[in-house]
């Protein structure tokens, strides 16, 4: 049914088509999630708790830099962090939740492909031609965002939040659910944020945004980037800058993308009038 022309399908047929794309996406997420559930040690000890361990790649790299440049503050997450679970079913439900998130992250290229198959028939042939590689680039950007958040933002967030104290009389004993929620939100936010150029590409293709309008609101985008960085990161300047800078770069990349689309459109219109 995905190959049918949009104008030949009724509204209910579109809903039925969408339903099956969603069902297949959930099946893919479930399959990967079950695999992640079975490999509990790798999922938790290596991946989830990795950024909190002293031997984590980023932590080791920063400690080497601290020794090299005599800056002890750079050496982070060197103390063992204790986690606690206060709910009877807390660890089991956390295991299921994390497995689902892992399935979503790993199956993202397939999920995006499913929704792309649903949207693609509604595009004109010329639009489909210019949209080639959308799945590849969306998957690459999502993966880069995930890795950036995991290897850069997460260790810094853990260092700041686990050591912050309102008083010496209060010890930090981290709740397992709170830790998982923090790591998950940071990583997923990183993946979504890095999709900004893809979003701008499609908005520019349909004429909703232009390079001129993006330039006009450049200052507003910087403020929005700062606010978004403040929301998804701990309240320390370094983490906020590390998130804000890529956002600004991605926005500038979006301007370049929009400008290229406008040039191609102008060229195509010129050829039509010749």
């Amino acid at each position: 049914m995905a190959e049918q022309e949009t104008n030949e399908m009724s509204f209910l047929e579109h809903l039925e088509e969408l339903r099956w794309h969603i069902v297949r996406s959930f099946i893919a997420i479930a399959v990967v999630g079950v695999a992640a559930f079975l490999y509990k040690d790798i999922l938790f000890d290596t991946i989830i708790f990795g950024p909190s361990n002293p031997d984590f790649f980023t932590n080791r790299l920063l400690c080497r830099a601290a020794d090299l440049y005599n800056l002890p503050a750079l050496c982070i997450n060197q103390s063992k962090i204790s986690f606690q679970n206060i709910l009877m079913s807390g660890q089991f439900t956390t295991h299921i939740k994390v497995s689902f998130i892992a399935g979503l992250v790993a199956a993202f290229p397939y999920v995006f492909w499913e929704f792309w198959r649903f949207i693609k028939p509604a595009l004109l042939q010329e639009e489909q031609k210019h949209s080639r590689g959308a799945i590849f680039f969306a998957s690459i950007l999502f993966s880069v965002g995930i890795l950036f958040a995991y290897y850069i933002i997460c260790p810094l967030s853990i260092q700041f939040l686990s050591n912050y104290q309102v008083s010496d009389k209060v010890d930090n004993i981290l709740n397992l659910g709170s830790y998982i929620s923090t790591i998950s939100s940071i990583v997923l936010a990183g993946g979504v944020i890095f999709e900004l150029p893809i979003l701008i590409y499609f908005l520019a293709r349909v004429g909703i945004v232009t390079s001129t309008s993006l330039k006009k609101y450049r200052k507003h985008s910087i403020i929005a980037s700062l606010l978004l960085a403040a929301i998804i990161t701990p309240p320390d300047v370094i983490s906020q800058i590390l998130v804000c800078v890529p956002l600004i770069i991605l926005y500038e990349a979006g301007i370049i993308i929009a400008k290229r689309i406008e040039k191609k459109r102008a060229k195509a219109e010129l050829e039509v009038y010749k």
Side-chain angles (χ1 to χ4, degrees), residues 242-258:
L242 285 173
V243 172
C244 187
V245 170
L247 278 172
I248 295 173
I249 294 173
L250 291 170
Y251 188 86
E252 293 298 322
I255 294 176
I256 296 172
I257 291 170

Side-chain angles (χ1 to χ4, degrees), residues 164-230:
Y164 185 84
Q165 290 180 295
V166 295
S167 172
D168 293 337
K169 296 180 180 179
V170 183
D171 293 328
N172 283 332
I173 302 176
L174 303 186
N175 178 271
L176 176 63
S178 175
Y179 175 85
I180 297 295
S181 296
T182 301
I183 297 300
S184 301
S185 61
I186 291 174
V187 169
L188 290 175
V192 172
I193 286 170
F194 271 64
E195 295 295 327
L196 182 60
I198 299 294
L199 176 62
I200 292 176
Y201 174 83
F202 284 107
L203 292 177
R205 287 296 309 170
V206 297
I208 296 177
V209 300
T210 63
S211 60
T212 303
S213 64
L214 291 173
K215 291 177 182 178
K216 179 181 177 181
Y217 292 103
R218 180 181 276 133
K219 293 181 180 179
H220 299 79
S221 72
I222 294 175
I223 296 174
S225 298
L226 288 169
L227 291 174
L228 184 59

